[in-house]
Amino acid sequence: MKKSIKLQVLEQIAETKREVKASELKKFIWNAQRVNGSQTSFAKNEFKNISSYYADAIAEWIKDKLLERTRRGFYNITPKGKKYVKNPKKVQSQITESKRKLRDKFDRIEIQSAIDNINDANEYFYHCFGNRSGDTAYYLRMLQMGANTLKDKVQ
């Protein structure tokens, strides 16, 4: 079975048994991409610490609680990440199920309850749109102007 890039990177982090720098983490991702035969923008086989879409992958793994940011520029594998290394299919199905439950929870929220409970609204908008400043207030105002449910206006 071909290992995913996520699995290869988490295995490398688990083997280090210490927190890793962001540049090391990017290098792990770059190496995993090369092993999988993905196209890279590098002519040579030298790693250059450049900005790329690595942050998107890292942010997703932190959101899934596979990695944690211990301090600025340093990351460590979580217990859930260690379980993922041992049994990726089982943990991935748990992650998918928890995301589905969260989506279903917010599909049922009505506008008034979202306005009454701003924490749920913040969690919903972070889940849908990321952490951009002003999104929550904007979407709450938009929803007050006519949507029956959050799902109706967002989709």
Side-chain angles (χ1 to χ4, degrees):
M1 179 177 92
K2 187 175 177 181
K3 291 183 180 178
S4 68
I5 291 172
K6 181 188 335 185
L7 180 57
Q8 291 177 45
V9 171
L10 291 175
E11 284 176 343
Q12 289 179 342
I13 295 169
E15 287 173 8
T16 62
K17 297 183 180 177
R18 62 175 171 80
E19 61 183 15
V20 295
K21 293 181 180 179
S23 59
E24 290 176 295
L25 188 54
K26 291 176 184 178
K27 188 169 187 171
F28 292 158
I29 295 170
W30 185 77
N31 285 332
Q33 288 173 332
R34 282 191 25 230
V35 168
N36 282 348
S38 298
Q39 294 292 330
T40 62
S41 60
F42 307 116
K44 301 177 182 177
N45 285 336
E46 296 176 9
F47 174 75
K48 297 177 184 175
N49 191 11
I50 60 170
S51 296
S52 184
Y53 293 103
Y54 298 130
D56 294 342
I58 294 168
E60 187 68 25
W61 299 342
I62 290 171
K63 184 177 159 188
D64 292 341
K65 296 182 173 64
L66 301 173
L67 282 180
E68 65 182 353
R69 183 177 164 200
T70 54
R71 54 193 164 120
R72 186 175 182 188
F74 288 87
Y75 300 89
N76 204 355
I77 192 166
T78 63
K80 188 175 183 179
K82 290 176 184 175
K83 288 179 186 175
Y84 183 88
V85 170
K86 292 177 184 171
N87 191 350
K89 285 187 178 183
K90 181 179 179 183
V91 176
Q92 187 61 45
S93 66
Q94 291 171 352
I95 291 169
T96 304
E97 183 64 21
S98 67
K99 286 182 180 180
R100 186 192 60 75
K101 285 181 181 177
L102 183 64
R103 224 178 11 257
D104 290 347
K105 172 186 172 186
F106 290 116
D107 284 347
R108 292 187 300 269
I109 292 177
E110 305 241 328
I111 296 172
Q112 193 57 45
S113 66
I115 294 168
D116 292 342
N117 191 348
I118 194 71
N119 291 331
D120 278 350
N122 280 332
E123 189 179 347
Y124 177 81
F125 292 120
Y126 181 79
H127 172 72
C128 291
F129 306 106
N131 192 16
R132 296 180 295 210
S133 61
D135 277 351
T136 302
Y138 169 77
Y139 286 105
L140 283 176
R141 284 194 308 273
M142 181 177 71
L143 292 171
Q144 282 178 316
M145 292 190 292
N148 293 327
T149 65
L150 293 174
K151 184 180 177 183
D152 290 342
K153 198 62 175 179
V154 174
Q155 290 182 340

